[in-house]
């Protein structure tokens, strides 16, 4: 496979015919060799794709893009540092120097970057971001994002995008693909358009997020794109507890602010599965 547009934008682009998980592959390469920021591992045949919380990401061979991007907030490039942490002795100590609070923005900017890339290919449709990590076309999931922190403080952001799946090949009824939404092109061409668009947008957003004086633009752009806001939602937490309420806003560290249906004060949700109740 050849992805010429994406190769121009990635720091380094590693294209594989087949791989278990692009996130795992990038993590193992990052552990064994120094890799530049925006190194990307991509394939259209991922055999052991992972979702969040041990779930699986499934796609028939050749019908989807799986791409993982390496972000290095500590060691290279723009840094996610507080100004008071800019002492040289702290630069290689993730625990001391990373402003972890702002890591909640990483899946959100990845989802925003992907929703912008996807919307160019399906201009007739409504593309939105479902907090925290799904890209939806007309309310159906076309892309999921899995962000993972490595021991050295680097972050891998993996995205799966459904390109040319037919309706009967969709893994779940809540999914869709670019083809089903009218983007007609071979999978390889769609993969390159999506990945190049995504990487270009992600570079801008990442630079903005890691600027020492980040603008409010990211907060506004993510909020504008996020179809979860204003909706009745059910949040399922990893421990099994559920919260039903209305998603009101995203706070300054990327958490979803939910006003409980049963009353009480607004709860800030950092991690959880959100169901849009209007779509149930
Ligand atoms: C996600 O998890 O949505 C994150 C998926 C990330 C996949 C990428 S591919 C590249 C990189 N390498 C990896 O190994 N992973 C990343 P979550 O929110 O937990 O959603 C998972 C759920 O989405 C599943 O339980 C299914 O219900 C549904 N699902 C599985 N495959 C899907 C698909 N192809 N399209 C839409 N929904 C799918």
């Amino acid at each position: 496979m050849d992805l010429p547009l994406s190769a121009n934008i990635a720091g380094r682009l590693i294209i594989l015919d087949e791989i278990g998980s692009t996130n795992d592959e990038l993590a193992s390469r990052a552990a064994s060799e120094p890799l530049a920021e925006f190194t990307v591992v991509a394939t259209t045949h991922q055999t052991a794709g992972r979702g969040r919380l041990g779930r699986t990401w499934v796609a028939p061979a050749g019908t989807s893009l799986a791409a993982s991007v390496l972000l290095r907030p500590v060691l290279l490039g723009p840094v996610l540092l507080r100004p008071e942490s800019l002492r040289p002795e702290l630069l290689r100590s993730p625990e001391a120097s990373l402003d972890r609070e702002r890591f909640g923005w990483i899946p959100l900017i990845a989802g925003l970057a992907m929703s912008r890339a996807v919307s160019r290919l399906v201009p007739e449709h409504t593309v939105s971001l479902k907090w925290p990590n799904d890209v939806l076309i007309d309310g159906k999931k076309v892309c999921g994002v899995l962000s993972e922190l490595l021991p050295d403080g680097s972050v891998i952001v993996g995205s799966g995008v459904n390109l040319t799946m037919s309706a009967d090949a969709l893994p779940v009824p809540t999914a869709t693909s670019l083809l089903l939404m009218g983007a007609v092109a071979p999978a390889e061409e769609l993969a390159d358009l999506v990945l190049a668009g995504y990487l270009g947008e992600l570079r801008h957003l990442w630079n903005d997020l890691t600027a020492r004086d980040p603008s409010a633009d990211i907060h506004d752009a993510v909020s504008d794109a996020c179809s979860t806001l204003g909706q009745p939602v059910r949040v399922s937490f990893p421990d099994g507890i559920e919260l039903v309420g209305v998603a009101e806003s995203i706070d300054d560290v990327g958490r979803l602010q939910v006003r409980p249906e049963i009353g009480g004060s607004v709860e800030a949700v950092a991690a959880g599965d959100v169901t849009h109740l209007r779509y149930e």
Side-chain angles (χ1 to χ4, degrees), residues 103-113 129-133 145 147 205 218 222 226 250-251 253-255:
F103 269 58
W105 285 107
I106 293 176
L108 294 170
I109 64 165
L112 176 61
L129 185 59
K130 174 168 170 265
W131 188 96
N133 71 321
V145 178
S147 302
L205 291 164
I218 286 193
V222 169
C226 184
I250 295 171
D251 71 10
V253 290
R255 294 175 305 186

Side-chain angles (χ1 to χ4, degrees), residues 62-156:
T63 63
S64 78
L65 169 71
S68 298
V69 183
L70 182 67
L71 301 175
R72 311 210 68 170
V74 178
L75 300 177
L76 292 172
V79 287
L80 269 172
L81 296 171
R82 295 192 194 96
E84 66 270 23
S85 302
L86 285 173
R87 286 178 288 146
E89 70 272 22
L90 293 181
L91 281 177
R92 289 184 181 269
S93 168
E95 292 73 22
S97 57
L98 271 180
D99 190 347
R100 302 229 172 190
E101 274 201 329
R102 286 164 61 207
F103 269 58
W105 285 107
I106 293 176
L108 294 170
I109 64 165
L112 176 61
M114 189 59 84
S115 58
R116 288 175 173 170
V118 162
S119 62
R120 284 183 212 132
L121 296 166
V122 290
E124 313 287 300
H125 296 272
T126 303
V127 177
S128 70
L129 185 59
K130 174 168 170 265
W131 188 96
N133 71 321
D134 294 347
V135 177
L136 310 180
I137 306 179
D138 295 347
K140 295 201 151 186
K141 183 163 171 173
V142 72
C143 165
V145 178
L146 175 66
S147 302
E148 296 181 298
L149 183 63
L150 299 185
D152 71 351
S154 304
V155 178
I156 289 180

Side-chain angles (χ1 to χ4, degrees), residues 1-24:
M1 177 168 65
D2 202 17
L3 303 174
L5 301 172
S6 308
N8 279 334
I9 303 174
R12 176 178 160 201
L13 179 58
I14 301 162
I15 300 170
L16 302 170
D17 289 339
E18 179 184 333
I19 192 69
S21 155
T22 55
N23 268 30
D24 293 345

